Amino acid sequence: MARRRVAACLILAGYDVTTASDGQEALERARSQPLDLIFLDAAMPRLGTRDIVVGLKGSRDTASIPIVVMAPRAPDTENLIGGGLEYDFLLHKPINRDDLLAVARSLIRSGREARASLPASRVVRGLEGVLEVLDPDTRDHSHRVGEYAYQLGARLGLTLSECEGLRRGAFLHDIGKVRIGGAVLSKSGPLTSEETKMMREHPSHGARILEGFEVRGIAGEAIRHHHERWDGSGYPDRLTGEAIPQTARILAVVDAFDVIVSGRPYQEAASYSRAFDLLRQEKGRQFDPQLVDAFLEMMAPEMVSSRAGTSRRPLEE
Ligand SMILES: [Fe+2]
């Protein structure tokens, strides 16, 4: 009943309103049409409030939509909803019409202002287009790496906004390759020392490109440092161990994994179990050992083989 009353109040105040009868439908609506604000009844059927909020805030397309959770005023309200969730406002039932309209006005206005003043999502979409032109394989690889990074970050306890920053950085991690010629990028044989030097500048190029678009923070640091190695022999800054930002250490693991299983011009695609072997071999050398363990645990531990592998070109690019 809260849904109908809320919808009626908003429609009478002049807002365009769409409703969903359960959590799954709410998620589908939010993904398929532009929304300025979502009112979410904590007692919504099918999907729990936690699943819906995480689903909305965890998706690039819906993360910026403000969410108002409507719940009874009770001592265990926070437990009912789920602690640590990143909704934007808690409205207690029974809902007062004036409160409802004040919250709607405020959140819709601030959401629109934020989207207008911080066009990071538009910048990212624009850069996605650059990636497509650069190389369709790079684009697909970047999408997969973004998803792996987001999932691993969430598993490690990063906040939703940190996970989003990490996913953005992961998606754009090789954007600096636009400064490198296609001949080098698609070369199937060994790189010359000059070509290797050029290739190793792509993380710095990428971080600088994003700075130009004022996309900094987590995404920028993950991009700049995604080829640092745990043992200090990486680039561009030869950072060691935990001096490497955690987001960049996460990105290094998931990037290498996807390169191994999807292949490169210089290297055939390998099986998942082979990739797991290679990641394990590089624990404490190329990768943070704990992050390798967490990633293997996430990626179906039953598939992890204990077989040792053979040496191959370093896991990079
Ligand atoms: Fe890279």
Side-chain angles (χ1 to χ4, degrees):
M1 287 307 105
R3 171 169 54 109
R4 288 185 190 161
R5 285 192 54 237
V6 166
C9 278
L10 292 169
I11 290 168
L12 285 172
Y15 292 102
D16 289 328
V17 176
T18 183
T19 62
S21 56
D22 61 43
Q24 187 60 44
E25 190 185 343
L27 273 182
E28 287 161 10
R29 287 280 169 87
R31 287 167 181 157
S32 63
Q33 64 188 99
L35 299 176
D36 283 321
L37 179 61
I38 294 172
F39 285 95
L40 188 61
D41 191 332
M44 209 160 198
R46 282 184 73 191
L47 277 183
T49 306
R50 168 173 289 279
D51 293 326
I52 301 171
V53 174
V54 169
L56 290 168
K57 293 296 185 184
S59 165
R60 184 162 46 85
D61 294 333
T62 53
S64 64
I65 306 172
I67 299 174
V68 177
V69 173
M70 302 179 293
R73 187 186 299 276
D76 63 344
T77 296
E78 283 292 327
N79 289 337
L80 176 74
I81 299 168
L85 280 186
E86 293 194 8
Y87 54 86
D88 297 87
F89 199 85
L90 175 61
L91 203 53
H92 289 295
K93 296 180 186 176
I95 292 165
N96 171 290
R97 175 184 171 278
D98 291 340
D99 289 347
L100 174 75
L101 295 181
V103 167
R105 258 194 316 272
S106 167
L107 287 180
I108 289 174
R109 185 176 59 234
S110 60
R112 285 177 177 169
E113 285 172 358
R115 285 194 289 277
S117 64
L118 184 66
S121 59
R122 280 179 234 161
V123 169
V124 170
R125 288 201 177 95
L127 291 172
E128 286 179 17
V130 174
L131 274 175
E132 292 205 31
V133 172
L134 177 66
D135 174 8
D137 290 341
T138 296
R139 177 203 58 195
D140 295 342
H141 162 68
S142 298
H143 270 297
R144 292 191 299 269
V145 169
E147 290 311 309
Y148 287 137
Y150 184 94
Q151 297 298 334
L152 184 55
R155 197 177 173 90
L156 293 166
L158 302 191
T159 66
L160 280 175
S161 60
E162 288 171 332
C163 288
E164 271 302 313
L166 175 56
R167 171 150 58 190
R168 181 175 294 158
F171 180 72
L172 296 170
H173 70 281
D174 278 338
I175 191 72
K177 287 182 177 176
V178 296
R179 293 282 306 274
I180 300 169
V184 175
L185 290 180
S186 58
K187 187 170 179 180
S188 56
L191 301 182
T192 65
S193 59
E194 187 57 31
E195 289 166 339
T196 299
K197 186 166 170 284
M198 281 172 60
M199 188 66 106
R200 292 189 168 198
E201 287 175 351
H202 79 269
S204 314
H205 291 325
R208 260 199 305 279
I209 288 169
L210 286 193
E211 268 183 32
F213 288 103
E214 300 193 344
V215 177
R216 299 191 178 92
I218 289 172
E221 73 178 17
I223 290 171
R224 178 172 179 86
H225 297 294
H226 75 276
H227 283 295
E228 304 285 0
R229 294 174 55 109
W230 182 256
D231 64 8
S233 64
Y235 56 90
D237 297 323
R238 297 182 70 87
L239 300 182
T240 304
E242 293 186 355
I244 306 166
Q246 186 190 30
T247 49
R249 283 181 269 139
I250 291 172
L251 181 48
V253 172
V254 300
D255 181 25
F257 173 77
D258 193 70
V259 166
I260 297 167
V261 298
S262 53
R264 277 291 178 274
Y266 53 81
Q267 169 177 299
E268 281 186 17
S271 67
Y272 273 36
S273 64
R274 173 83 179 119
F276 295 152
D277 284 344
L278 290 166
L279 292 183
R280 273 203 302 259
Q281 285 174 25
E282 291 298 321
K283 280 168 65 171
R285 292 159 62 182
Q286 185 168 352
F287 307 120
D288 178 338
Q290 290 186 354
L291 294 187
V292 171
D293 289 341
F295 182 66
L296 297 186
E297 201 179 302
M298 181 178 93
M299 298 292 290
E302 71 280 3
M303 295 182 70
V304 179
S305 158
S306 59
R307 293 191 308 275
T310 56
S311 64
R312 53 199 274 136
R313 181 165 158 175
L315 312 176
E316 56 186 28
E317 281 85 64

